[in-house]
Amino acid sequence: YVGEGGIAFSEKNSEKAVIETMKNISGDDEERRKKVGASLVKHLHAFVKDVEPSTEEWEAGIQFLVEAGQWSYKPEKRHEWMFLSDTLGVTMLVDCINHRKTGGNSTEWTVQGPFHGAHQEWP
């Protein structure tokens, strides 16, 4: 298969083939979106190549994502990806990165989720 980027998709060059299709992204934040999108594709493809899931395993993973969309009790206000991000600790990590403590008088982050507890930070 040759996509919009003009590169034939194969196991060996899957990332490049997909990322090349992103060249048409435009807008005020075009470069940032391309960088984030390319990184996401590289890491996701690396994960799949590392794990080598069977078709059945991949379908189970997709089903998990579908079910994650049904977890929220108020889907009009809180959507599946946000909830999944919270569950996997990604929301907290993004908050930590964007609000790094820079002194003794800073306060805790607002998102504590399932990882909050009276324990010492590690390491």
Side-chain angles (χ1 to χ4, degrees):
Y1 170 76
V2 177
E4 292 178 30
I7 297 176
F9 189 97
S10 69
E11 182 178 341
K12 184 177 179 180
N13 72 346
S14 62
E15 300 94 342
K16 186 175 182 181
V18 174
I19 291 168
E20 201 52 36
T21 65
M22 297 178 182
K23 67 182 178 186
N24 296 325
I25 292 176
S26 61
D28 294 338
D29 58 352
E30 169 184 352
E31 291 307 312
R32 178 68 178 163
R33 287 178 21 196
K34 285 181 182 178
K35 179 179 180 178
V36 171
S39 183
L40 175 63
V41 169
K42 286 177 185 176
H43 287 282
L44 182 58
H45 284 236
F47 167 77
V48 172
K49 288 176 181 181
D50 178 50
V51 174
E52 296 185 340
S54 67
T55 302
E56 293 78 18
E57 290 169 330
W58 188 250
E59 288 173 356
I62 296 300
Q63 184 59 37
F64 168 75
L65 295 176
V66 169
E67 290 172 8
Q70 300 165 354
W71 293 344
S72 180
Y73 64 95
K74 292 188 177 183
E76 68 282 358
K77 292 184 178 185
R78 190 155 174 87
H79 301 284
E80 64 269 22
W81 292 110
M82 183 182 293
F83 192 66
L84 185 58
S85 174
D86 293 350
T87 303
L88 297 175
V90 178
T91 303
M92 186 64 184
L93 178 58
V94 170
D95 198 45
C96 289
I97 289 169
N98 284 279
H99 300 93
R100 289 184 175 116
K101 293 182 180 182
T102 57
N105 60 355
S106 61
T107 59
E108 291 297 319
W109 305 285
T110 58
V111 181
Q112 294 183 346
F115 303 105
H116 176 67
H119 58 276
Q120 207 171 17
E121 289 185 24
W122 182 85

